[in-house]
C-alpha cells in the first residue's frame, strides 16, 4: 500500500540502495510471517535497522567537531575550500574517520564536507590509510581521536 511505501521511504534517508534493501526486507518479512504487507509490519521488519539500541550514534558532525578542536581549526575550515596543509590534513583525517566510524555513504560524507565529491573522500581515505603505515605521529593522533570519539 502507498502509505506503507511512504513509511519505508521516510525511514531510509541515505541512498536508493538502502531504500531498495529496506523494501526487500519488508517483503521477505511479510512472506516469512505469512502476513500481508502493512505499515505496522514494515515498522516491525525495519526495527532492527534503526531501533536497535546501540552505543551513542557517531555522526559526521561529531567527528568534524572533535577533529577541528584537536587540530585547532574550525569546522567551517574543514568544510571549506582552502587547500593549505594546516587545514587539508585535518580535513582528510576527518573524512577518513567518517568513513571508518560511520555507516555513511561516500557521497553523504562528501556532502557533509561542503559538497565535496565522493572521489575526494576516497582520496582522503587512501591518503591517510597509506600515511598510517609509516607515520607514527599520525597514528597516535588518530588513536587519540578515536578514543575521544568513543567516550
Amino acid at each position: 500500500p502507498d502509505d506503507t511505501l511512504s513509511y519505508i521511504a521516510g525511514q531510509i534517508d541515505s541512498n536508493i540502495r538502502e531504500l531498495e534493501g529496506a523494501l526487500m526486507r519488508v517483503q521477505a518479512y511479510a512472506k516469512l510471517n505469512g502476513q500481508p504487507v502493512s505499515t505496522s509490519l514494515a515498522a516491525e521488519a525495519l526495527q532492527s535497522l534503526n531501533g536497535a539500541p546501540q552505543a551513542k550514534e557517531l555522526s559526521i558532525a561529531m567527528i568534524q567537531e572533535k577533529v577541528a578542536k584537536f587540530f585547532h581549526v574550525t569546522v567551517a575550515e574543514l568544510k571549506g575550500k582552502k587547500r593549505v596543509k594546516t587545514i587539508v590534513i585535518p580535513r582528510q583525517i576527518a573524512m577518513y574517520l567518517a568513513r571508518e566510524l560511520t555507516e555513511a555513504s561516500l557521497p553523504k560524507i562528501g556532502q557533509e564536507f561542503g559538497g565535496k565529491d565522493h572521489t575526494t573522500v576516497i582520496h582522503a581515505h587512501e591518503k591517510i590509510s597509506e600515511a598510517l603505515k609509516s607515520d607514527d605521529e599520525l597514528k597516535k593522533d588518530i588513536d587519540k581521536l578515536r578514543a575521544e570519539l568513543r567516550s
Side-chain angles (χ1 to χ4, degrees):
D2 283 349
D3 61 326
T4 304
L5 289 173
S6 294
Y7 172 80
I8 295 169
Q11 297 301 301
I12 308 298
D13 64 352
S14 48
N15 63 43
I16 191 73
R17 283 188 192 91
E18 284 189 30
L19 182 59
E20 189 178 22
L23 187 56
M24 291 190 326
R25 183 185 192 116
V26 170
Q27 288 174 320
Y29 191 83
K31 200 173 214 175
L32 274 170
N33 290 303
Q35 297 176 314
V37 174
S38 66
T39 305
S40 61
L41 182 115
E44 250 180 72
L46 299 177
Q47 185 175 14
S48 65
L49 290 181
N50 54 14
Q54 301 163 337
K56 180 177 70 174
E57 186 62 37
L58 197 56
S59 70
I60 295 170
M62 291 164 64
I63 292 170
Q64 289 171 332
E65 286 175 31
K66 288 281 185 190
V67 171
K69 188 175 177 186
F70 189 87
F71 288 102
H72 309 291
V73 296
T74 66
V75 172
E77 287 174 321
L78 289 181
K79 293 180 175 189
K81 299 206 180 300
K82 278 190 179 175
R83 288 166 55 177
V84 294
K85 192 174 184 179
T86 55
I87 296 170
V88 170
I89 302 296
R91 182 184 298 140
Q92 288 177 336
I93 289 171
M95 287 182 183
Y96 170 85
L97 288 170
R99 180 86 173 109
E100 291 285 310
L101 303 176
T102 71
E103 297 293 316
S105 64
L106 294 169
K108 171 82 172 146
I109 295 170
Q111 194 62 46
E112 294 288 326
F113 281 87
K116 307 262 186 298
D117 190 64
H118 73 281
T119 57
T120 305
V121 181
I122 293 171
H123 173 74
H125 188 271
E126 287 174 354
K127 184 127 177 153
I128 298 301
S129 294
E130 198 55 40
L132 282 171
K133 293 176 185 174
S134 58
D135 188 340
D136 290 337
E137 194 61 39
L138 177 64
K139 189 171 177 6
K140 283 181 197 165
D141 287 347
I142 288 182
D143 287 345
K144 282 181 196 169
L145 281 163
R146 280 180 193 259
E148 277 184 38
L149 287 163
R150 280 192 211 112
S151 62

